[in-house]
């Protein structure tokens, strides 16, 4: 797949996710093999107002490259300014969010709201493309609802105005994050345009990644919730694509060490209290498969400082590792009793 200067074969991308794909999580996913990462969506109105919180979402580290900054909004002038501001951070690409389904965004004519007004989406995309020198990509859904799927027209329009890649979450706005994804549209889009098409939606296992590449002919695969639940998915899927073999689950030590690293990154980036509190949403994914995971998670949730979390994790590791999982389970049962 080629976007501007970026050329990657069968890339696996980390999806933009508000309150999730902050700098620490992106660094972790990058380390685990994500080929392209994206910031959380950045509100163009917030940028125009000079909000520091919004500005901070665009900060990234060199090791994250290639990285895209995603912007959203319903006002073309604000989006133009936001794109230029985003470009001043020197990302590898700028992505326009035309897929967010939440009411506050979509019903105000931003995000997936633009799927109800394709001429406005076209104008917005064109203004952003012309406002910056960086490649501009766009992320959207199949359509507003099942009765108004216009994704092939959207893809043609994107290509015509100079969008350099299109990501399609294969659901409609009406579906939110529920219901079946429909990947069948991807081959129809591929027949109609030559810009890269990235598929997104319910891709959670290495087999899913391979299946989507093979059955849709897409150029890239983007993973969102699958990476929260299992950030190792990037490494595992790449290995599976290359060899046809499935890697074993990460060990308890891998999980605990990665969680500790994430904690350190979160604290460096956000300060101790905020870093600790915001890490809580990642416990389930990182510790998945551990004996008594919910008990451990609940215990970790009580802490607001790093020291007790690190101690707790170290004790936990000593208790359950390196014994095989079956004996870890019985050890846990004895301890819990
Ligand atoms: C917590 C959360 C936050 C999200 N925030 C964004 C966002 O900021 N920008 C965006 O384009 N999509 C956002 N999404 C949608 C995801 O990027 C992705 O399209 C969707 O989750 C479907 O992919 P998945 O099944 O791999 O999760 C978000 C999804 C979740 C679960």
């Amino acid at each position: 797949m080629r976007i501007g200067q970026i050329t990657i074969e069968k890339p696996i991308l980390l999806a933009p996710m508000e309150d999730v794909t902050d700098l620490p999580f992106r660094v972790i996913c990058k380390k685990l093999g994500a080929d392209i990462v994206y910031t959380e969506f950045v509100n163009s109105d917030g940028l125009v107002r000079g909000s520091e919180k919004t500005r901070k979402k665009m900060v990234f580290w060199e090791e994250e490259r290639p990285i895209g900054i995603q912007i959203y909004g319903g006002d073309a002038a604000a989006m133009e300014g936001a794109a230029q501001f985003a470009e001043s951070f020197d990302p590898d690409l700028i992505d326009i969010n035309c897929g967010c389904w939440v009411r506050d965004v979509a019903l105000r004519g931003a995000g997936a709201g633009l799927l109800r007004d394709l001429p406005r989406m076209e104008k917005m995309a064109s203004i952003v493309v012309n406002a910056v020198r960086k490649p501009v990509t766009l992320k959207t859904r199949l359509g507003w609802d099942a009765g108004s799927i216009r994704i092939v027209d959207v893809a043609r329009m994107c290509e015509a105005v100079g969008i350099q890649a299109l990501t399609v979450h294969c659901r409609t706005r009406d579906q939110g994050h529920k219901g079946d994804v429909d990947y069948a549209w991807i081959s129809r889009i591929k027949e109609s345009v030559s810009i890269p098409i990235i598929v997104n939606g319910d891709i959670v296992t290495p087999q899913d990644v391979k299946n989507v590449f093979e059955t849709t002919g897409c150029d890239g695969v983007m993973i969102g919730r699958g990476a929260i639940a299992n950030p190792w998915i990037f490494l595992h899927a790449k290995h599976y694509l290359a060899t046809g073999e499935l890697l074993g689950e990460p060990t308890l030590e891998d999980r605990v060490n990665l969680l500790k690293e994430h904690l350190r990154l979160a604290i460096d980036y956000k300060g101790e209290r905020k870093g600790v509190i915001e890490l809580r949403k990642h416990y389930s994914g990182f510790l998945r498969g551990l004996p008594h995971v919910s008990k451990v998670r609940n215990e970790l949730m009580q802490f607001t400082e790093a020291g007790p979390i690190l101690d707790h994790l170290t004790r936990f590791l000593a208790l359950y590792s390196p014994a095989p999982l079956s004996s870890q389970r019985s050890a846990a049962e004895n301890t819990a009793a």
Side-chain angles (χ1 to χ4, degrees), residues 14-21 39-42 70 72 95-101 139-141 167-171 176-177 181 200-204 222-228:
L14 172 66
M17 287 183 283
E18 188 188 19
D19 288 337
V20 177
T21 55
T39 63
E40 317 166 52
F41 66 178
V42 178
Q70 190 189 62
Y72 78 98
D95 189 68
I96 308 175
N97 179 314
C98 295
C100 182
W101 67 294
K139 178 168 179 282
T140 190
R141 290 173 176 250
T167 303
V168 185
H169 176 185
C170 295
R171 289 191 172 87
H177 285 140
V181 286
N200 170 241
D202 282 7
I203 300 166
V204 292
M222 178 182 277
I223 302 181
R225 290 164 298 171
I228 307 177

Side-chain angles (χ1 to χ4, degrees), residues 199-255:
V199 177
N200 170 241
D202 282 7
I203 300 166
V204 292
T205 66
Q207 296 93 320
D208 291 342
V209 172
K210 187 163 191 276
N211 177 48
V212 168
F213 271 120
E214 285 177 357
T215 59
T216 68
C218 69
D219 301 278
V221 159
M222 178 182 277
I223 302 181
R225 290 164 298 171
I228 307 177
N230 172 22
W232 285 268
I233 179 63
F234 301 101
L235 270 184
H236 287 206
K238 283 179 153 185
H239 185 82
Y240 187 63
L241 286 180
T243 66
E245 285 167 14
L246 288 170
L247 288 173
E249 288 283 303
T251 65
L252 180 56
E253 191 172 6
D254 294 336
R255 291 170 185 280

Side-chain angles (χ1 to χ4, degrees), residues 318-337:
L319 187 61
Y320 293 112
S321 218
L325 269 184
S326 54
S327 54
Q328 289 165 19
R329 284 205 183 90
S330 51
E333 275 147 23
N334 292 339
T335 321

Side-chain angles (χ1 to χ4, degrees), residues 1 36 56-57 59 64 78 105 110 120 129 162 188 202 223 226 231 245 258 260 269-270 278 301 310 313 321:
M1 179 177 87
I36 302 179
K56 200 173 175 198
K57 289 185 178 173
V59 173
E64 295 183 57
V105 175
R120 213 159 65 78
V129 166
R188 288 172 228 168
D202 282 7
I223 302 181
E245 285 167 14
L258 197 69
K260 286 181 173 177
Y269 180 64
K270 302 177 181 190
E278 293 195 4
M301 291 286 200
L310 293 171
L313 288 171
S321 218

